Amino acid sequence: MNPTPALIIMVAAVFTNNILLANFLGMCSFLACSRQIDTAVGLGAAVVFVSTATVVLNHVIYYQVLVRWDIEYLQYIVFIAVIAAFVQLVEMFIERFSPVLYFSLGIFLPLITVNCAILGSSLFMVIREYSFAQAAGFGVGAGLGWALAIILMAGLRKKMLYSNVPRPFQGVPLVMIITGVMAMAFMGFTGMVSIQ
Amino acid sequence: MNEFLLPVGVLSVLFIGLAAMLIVAERVLINYGICAIDINEGEEDIEVEGGDTLLSVLYDHEIYIPSACGGKGTCGECKVTVDSGGGPVLPTETPLLTRRERRSGVRLGCQVKVREDMEVRMPEEYLHVEEFASTVDEVEMLTEDIRFIRMMLDEPEEINFRPGQYVQVQAPSSEGPVYRAYSISNADYEKDRVELIVKLIPGGIGSTYLHNVEPGDPVTFIGPFGDFYLDESPDTELVCVGGGCGMAPIRCIVHSVLKRQPERKVWMFFGARSLADTFYMKQWEELEEEYPNFNAIVALSDPDPDDNWEGETGFIHLSVDKYLDENTSRQAFLCGPPPMIEATTEVLQEKGLRPDQWYYDEFN
């Protein structure tokens, strides 16, 4: 059993072990949807919800069903199915309550299903042997961390809108470089807490 | 045995559980109930099940607003004014709406979803668009991939249209009937028929359908649509520039105008790659002989050596530049691929035409 308190795990997942900046998971939608702050906030909120709900539900299914009957090898297909279902749910919800956000996220909303950050959090939860409370903290933290990174990036890209960027670096290359710099900046948090 | 049944059972229960959750969520979230749509301040009132696009519910109630792209949000034809109940303007609409249109509540019917009671305004003539049942009478391959189709009207028996207008043919697809727009190519005094000139687009739903109908087959279409108004003053020269199946509306305009105003000066420019891509060459020649003020100019951009072509070569806008003199009162109608339209409008501008004196119909 992992001895770290759930709250620490949550804070660590946001800052020191940020799933995007430390593990570089979930890069594709991060690069594509970080142009506008509104879109980034919307997608970030969707990821927080999906990540929290799926890590919690996957924890229950994994320990109560898969481990109990000795069929852990089904974890990938089970995790993905749960994630897909929750993404569908979020899609319906956003379409109903914010059509503008729905259309500006476009294909990247259903693609949360294959966002590696989401599956990654469920798999980390297994590898790191989190308890239920820890898993819940980690789910929230992983989602919040990803959302924080994409919102920061959207803010930076907005600032850069009028910068005179050399041609070869315009667009994605510059975003990649900035992501690297952001990751280094986040390394400054390393001493604060640490999780396994 | 158990080692197979258990995982299969677990997965089945899980998947059914998730599916049930989604079905319940759909019932709760995507249920808008019955919505009332008021058209043109009380002229028509319809009640529909919410959740579909405005375009599709209007079609279900036999109100045919134009839609050339079939609801994909690319043509911008299905504009209607939504006074209340449309929700915010969507990112898919903004490229096709001007700032003034956005302010006055113009929306794309194919993008707006019916979620609540709505008040909608649209041009009066949309309410008079009819559905026609017709029978294919004659088909002919004009070039390798362009087909001529004549349809005789069954019900109603007559169609009243202006030259340059188009109809939307109903074509079957895997997702139910879809509508695709084609220009009418017969003259406006031939009210008992609609003739189309259709290019086969590989994978295209409408063109594949129309390339496979045979004489005797029924075809359903709606129309007429289009906002081109011919300048009828006899002193205004008429310039028609087209390429490929863009000649369809031009054929209609030329025949209609010459019948009414035989003295009218009419220029027709037909751009094609080689002689094999041209059609009705004999008809154009006969028209030139019959009407002295009609000039048909065909230019080949890439003539085949076997064509023994002695006429104009190069892209069609070069011929337009060569033949037209400057500063004459003119109206121009262009129909063809975007590069042709762009190059030709530039030439027309140099010749002193204003943007309101030309009309174009662009297709890829």
Side-chain angles (χ1 to χ4, degrees):
Chain A
M1 225 14 146
N2 195 318
T4 326
L7 191 68
I8 299 289
I9 287 183
M10 191 183 102
V11 174
V14 178
F15 296 107
T16 60
N17 292 54
N18 187 300
I19 198 142
L20 192 131
L21 296 172
N23 301 103
F24 280 84
L25 292 176
M27 284 295 282
C28 25
S29 36
F30 172 77
L31 294 178
C33 288
S34 55
R35 261 185 217 101
Q36 285 173 329
I37 295 187
D38 300 348
T39 326
V41 171
L43 190 63
V47 167
V48 172
F49 173 75
V50 175
S51 148
T52 312
T54 55
V55 171
V56 168
L57 192 63
N58 283 339
H59 185 276
V60 175
I61 295 175
Y62 184 76
Y63 287 103
Q64 301 307 320
V65 182
L66 302 188
V67 173
R68 178 169 294 177
W69 285 321
D70 219 14
I71 44 175
E72 291 100 326
Y73 61 87
L74 285 180
Q75 61 172 324
Y76 295 101
I77 192 164
V78 168
F79 288 177
I80 278 291
V82 171
I83 290 168
F86 271 86
V87 171
Q88 289 280 305
L89 196 66
V90 171
E91 220 184 317
M92 283 182 220
F93 189 82
I94 293 183
E95 195 192 348
R96 173 78 204 239
F97 294 105
S98 176
V100 175
L101 181 63
Y102 180 79
F103 281 100
S104 55
L105 290 177
I107 187 67
F108 287 96
L109 186 56
L111 277 186
I112 297 178
T113 310
V114 286
N115 187 332
C116 4
I118 308 275
L119 182 64
S121 346
S122 283
L123 294 174
F124 279 142
M125 168 270 291
V126 172
I127 296 167
R128 295 175 184 166
E129 299 181 340
Y130 287 147
S131 70
F132 182 77
Q134 286 170 324
F138 180 68
V140 178
L144 282 178
W146 195 91
L148 177 70
I150 193 172
I151 293 166
L152 284 178
M153 178 52 84
L156 287 170
R157 283 180 86 164
K158 197 178 167 199
K159 287 259 182 222
M160 289 188 313
L161 217 54
Y162 300 106
S163 323
N164 191 9
V165 179
R167 265 192 90 139
F169 294 107
Q170 280 172 12
V172 176
L174 191 66
V175 177
M176 298 287 265
I177 294 170
I178 293 174
T179 314
V181 176
M182 271 168 67
M184 283 198 277
F186 269 67
M187 279 173 74
F189 292 118
T190 310
M192 196 167 72
V193 282
S194 89
I195 53 167
Q196 291 305 312
Chain B
M1 193 62 182
N2 218 5
E3 63 202 81
F4 298 114
L5 282 181
L6 185 67
V8 172
V10 166
L11 283 184
S12 309
V13 170
L14 180 77
F15 289 170
I16 292 169
L18 290 172
M21 177 191 85
L22 287 178
I23 291 170
V24 172
E26 198 175 347
R27 284 270 162 80
V28 177
L29 286 175
I30 321 241
N31 182 3
Y32 302 99
I34 300 288
C35 305
I37 302 179
D38 170 285
I39 296 163
N40 288 359
E41 292 166 356
E43 210 159 302
E44 293 241 4
D45 275 304
I46 54 176
E47 289 201 337
V48 299
E49 184 89 30
D52 258 336
T53 63
L54 187 57
L55 181 74
S56 65
V57 302
L58 289 176
Y59 270 54
D60 289 345
H61 287 80
E62 294 179 354
I63 295 167
Y64 302 109
I65 59 178
S67 156
C69 67
K72 287 201 286 282
T74 55
C75 71
E77 293 283 327
C78 58
K79 285 176 184 168
V80 291
T81 308
V82 178
D83 287 327
S84 77
V89 177
L90 303 175
T92 39
E93 296 173 81
T94 41
L96 293 163
L97 299 175
T98 63
R99 197 174 294 174
R100 180 181 295 176
E101 284 175 331
R102 248 178 284 171
R103 264 206 304 271
S104 54
V106 174
R107 304 290 301 272
L108 296 188
C110 65
Q111 301 297 313
V112 177
K113 276 199 171 177
V114 180
R115 297 159 191 276
E116 53 192 319
D117 293 354
M118 296 175 86
E119 283 172 29
V120 180
R121 277 184 293 131
M122 62 181 74
E124 189 67 34
E125 61 182 53
Y126 289 177
L127 297 173
H128 303 305
V129 169
E130 285 180 285
E131 185 178 83
F132 292 88
S134 69
T135 309
V136 178
D137 177 55
E138 194 188 324
V139 293
E140 185 195 347
M141 288 306 284
L142 299 177
T143 72
E144 216 165 66
D145 57 356
I146 295 180
R147 196 187 204 208
F148 166 85
I149 300 132
R150 174 184 296 141
M151 302 173 302
M152 303 307 283
L153 304 183
D154 298 325
E155 180 63 44
E157 287 177 355
E158 274 197 358
I159 179 167
N160 289 301
F161 62 95
R162 295 192 308 273
Q165 285 197 305
Y166 64 91
V167 294
Q168 289 182 193
V169 175
Q170 192 185 67
S173 82
S174 53
E175 292 155 14
V178 294
Y179 290 90
R180 292 292 182 268
Y182 296 96
S183 293
I184 304 173
S185 81
N186 53 304
D188 59 0
Y189 51 83
E190 296 171 322
K191 294 179 189 300
D192 61 340
R193 69 192 67 183
V194 163
E195 294 172 357
L196 306 178
I197 294 176
V198 179
K199 181 178 175 159
L200 180 66
I201 309 289
I205 296 173
S207 65
T208 310
Y209 168 66
L210 286 173
H211 270 251
N212 284 303
V213 293
E214 292 301 332
D217 288 351
V219 172
T220 304
F221 59 88
I222 54 176
F225 297 107
D227 51 5
F228 173 69
Y229 287 89
L230 198 65
D231 188 337
E232 300 271 352
S233 70
D235 299 333
T236 306
E237 284 188 18
L238 185 61
V239 179
C240 297
V241 188
C245 58
M247 295 310 288
I250 291 174
R251 177 171 174 256
C252 164
I253 293 172
V254 166
H255 281 276
S256 311
V257 169
L258 292 179
K259 177 90 174 179
R260 268 202 300 275
Q261 302 169 307
E263 299 301 312
R264 181 109 182 245
K265 182 96 176 153
V266 178
W267 293 89
M268 188 200 81
F269 294 91
F270 183 174
R273 210 169 297 132
S274 66
L275 210 52
D277 298 306
T278 61
F279 44 86
Y280 292 143
M281 296 297 271
K282 200 144 179 93
Q283 275 194 21
W284 310 130
E285 265 172 45
E286 285 168 10
L287 276 178
E288 269 190 313
E289 277 166 27
E290 195 178 342
Y291 301 99
N293 282 333
F294 172 68
N295 299 290
I297 290 125
V298 179
L300 302 185
S301 62
D302 189 12
D304 201 82
D306 300 337
D307 289 349
N308 296 323
W309 181 248
E310 287 172 356
E312 295 299 319
T313 53
F315 288 115
I316 193 67
H317 66 276
L318 300 174
S319 306
V320 177
D321 192 33
K322 184 173 158 187
Y323 281 91
L324 299 186
D325 47 6
E326 284 179 32
N327 296 328
T328 311
S329 169
R330 290 200 180 92
Q331 187 187 29
F333 182 92
L334 321 175
C335 189
M340 186 207 97
I341 306 275
E342 202 179 315
T344 311
T345 46
E346 247 170 59
V347 171
L348 291 175
Q349 198 151 21
E350 282 166 21
K351 299 285 177 193
L353 265 77
R354 296 187 312 269
D356 62 304
Q357 288 171 315
W358 68 67
Y359 180 93
Y360 60 84
D361 193 352
E362 200 171 54
F363 53 80
N364 295 308

